[in-house]
Amino acid sequence: MGETAELIAAAAAQAGPLDWITSTLLIVSYPAEVVVAIFAVATALPRRAGFGRRLAAIVSLYLAASLLVIPSVYAMDYTDAPPVLESLVTLLMAVILMLSTVPAIMHAFDARPLQALFCATAGWTCQNLASGIEGTVALLAERVLGVSVEASVENTGAAATHLALLVVVFSVVYAACYLAFVRPIRRRGLGDMEDRRMLAVLGLVIVAVIVFDMANKELDAQGATLEVLLVLRLVHAAVCAFVLFMEYEMLYSRSLETRVALDAQMAAERERQWQLSQENREAINVKMHDIRHQIRMLADGAGAHVDQGFLADLAREVDVYDSLMNTGNEALDTILSEKALVCEREAIELSCIADGSALGFMSAPEVYSLFGNALDNAMRAVREVDDPDRRSISLVVRRVGELVSIHIENHFAGTLRFEGGLPQTTQEGPGHGLGTRSMRGIVERHGGTLALGTRGSVFTLDALVPIP
């Protein structure tokens, strides 16, 4: 990269347009390598509305910055400057480029800062791994075969060979990184990656990945032996692989923590519902005993009528007992039974037609999170409705061919504003507004689509998810 500005000047003055274009491509190749790797990891995140337009704007911005900033920075004269200054400038540019992708990711994807930082550090590590392998191939070609693939002012024609080597090596390494790292992350999603340890990972990437790679290139320029350089390149590749492994383990452990917490919550809810069921059975048995007693009294002519208050109490007991769901999916039964009891207590009508067996491909935490967030949002909206006839929530889960259809609707008061296809919460605090993002992440992780909207004063949620 240190000679890129000189390469463009030499190509423009001594060679034809093709050499100038090739040399220019070498300049933009560096940020392109970084952006491609980072945005490949970011595909695990839900896209914002207008994703294509947002992505085009980001690419245009990076392209313009590459052509304007990189040549001017690397054309600086370091002759009278301390030897370490050029290295510090190079390091600073690398860090700025990596950190600049964090707001870029948040602009194109529905991501929070630590999620975007995860993508930035992981993508940068993939780029550095590919860059190190490409440098090793170039080193072997030069020192073993005597063939130089590094473009210089004296040999601008080598730029095309260098570009070809970049394309081949980076394609192979990026494909391997996608299969081993990115694809498992896309299946798992990044919904729970809110770990402040990512700041420590950022420091590790800067020191162990970027600085190490710069040191290897400096030793190569100073003529270190082939054996030493190969060992250092191997260590650098191992460090990159370790960083990627560590980031995946952080994501995996975070996912396990969430799953354990949800399983514990579901177990507690099942225990509570079982106890509630037992209590209601006993209460209903007592009521049945009283009913038999009153029937005998009527039969004997000892009573003129049945106590209406007694019948109302019995109806409430039956309603609570009947609210315990049986849909064919244990996780769905748990969340629906819990919410039905709350709705019954708050005079909210919850109607449910659900084929829980159609959700068998989803994990229990996913079902619990998806329907828990959806019903919590619906109940929160209905609580603000004063008209008793409109305090209702409807849920339908059914199998439609090779798809499972989820439809939820409820009345709401006031107005709703949408951004990126998601309703904007009026609640305050760091936890609010994350439920709908989590729901969309779960649906899209299984290849489905989630649509939220309004129809008059009715809020609707529709999801279609393929059944594997």
Side-chain angles (χ1 to χ4, degrees), residues 423-453:
Q424 297 304 294
T425 178
T426 57
Q427 304 292 319
E428 296 182 355
H432 292 292
L434 304 183
T436 50
R437 295 179 182 176
S438 174
M439 290 156 52
R440 189 167 71 176
I442 292 171
V443 170
E444 292 185 349
R445 189 153 62 244
H446 288 278
T449 58
L450 178 70
L452 306 174

Side-chain angles (χ1 to χ4, degrees), residues 343 346-352 375 377-395 408-412 457-459:
C343 287
E346 298 186 11
I348 298 173
E349 180 184 353
L350 174 61
S351 61
C352 174
L375 291 173
N377 291 340
M379 292 162 61
R380 187 179 301 115
V382 171
R383 288 189 185 104
E384 304 297 324
V385 176
D386 295 328
D387 185 354
D389 294 334
R390 296 168 59 232
R391 291 172 61 86
S392 62
I393 301 171
S394 172
L395 181 147
I408 300 175
E409 65 178 50
N410 60 271
H411 290 276
F412 68 94
S457 63
V458 176
F459 179 85

Side-chain angles (χ1 to χ4, degrees), residues 217-229:
K217 292 176 180 177
E218 183 64 26
L219 288 173
D220 185 14
Q222 293 179 3
T225 63
L226 177 62
E227 291 79 7
V228 170
L229 291 174

Side-chain angles (χ1 to χ4, degrees), residues 59-102:
V59 170
S60 300
L61 182 62
Y62 274 108
L63 181 61
S66 301
L67 295 175
L68 294 175
V69 177
I70 293 179
S72 60
V73 171
Y74 281 103
M76 294 172 60
D77 186 5
Y78 298 97
T79 305
D80 299 325
V84 72
L85 181 60
E86 184 174 4
S87 297
L88 288 177
V89 171
T90 304
L91 175 61
L92 181 62
M93 280 195 61
V95 174
I96 291 175
L97 176 58
M98 177 171 60
L99 293 181
S100 71
T101 61
V102 172

Side-chain angles (χ1 to χ4, degrees), residues 29-39 97-98 101 123-124 127 174:
S29 67
Y30 174 57
E33 296 162 6
V34 174
V35 172
V36 167
I38 290 174
F39 272 69
L97 176 58
M98 177 171 60
T101 61
W124 187 277
Q127 185 276 338
Y174 279 8

Side-chain angles (χ1 to χ4, degrees), residues 103-158:
I105 291 170
M106 295 175 67
H107 179 68
F109 296 91
D110 189 4
R112 297 183 289 282
L114 290 179
Q115 291 176 316
L117 185 60
F118 177 93
C119 298
T121 53
W124 187 277
T125 304
C126 291
Q127 185 276 338
N128 240 251
L129 176 62
S131 177
I133 293 175
E134 183 270 333
T136 303
V137 174
L139 177 67
L140 291 172
E142 180 180 355
R143 300 219 182 173
V144 177
L145 302 178
V147 178
S148 176
V149 294
E150 292 292 340
S152 64
V153 176
E154 296 78 15
N155 184 15
T156 56

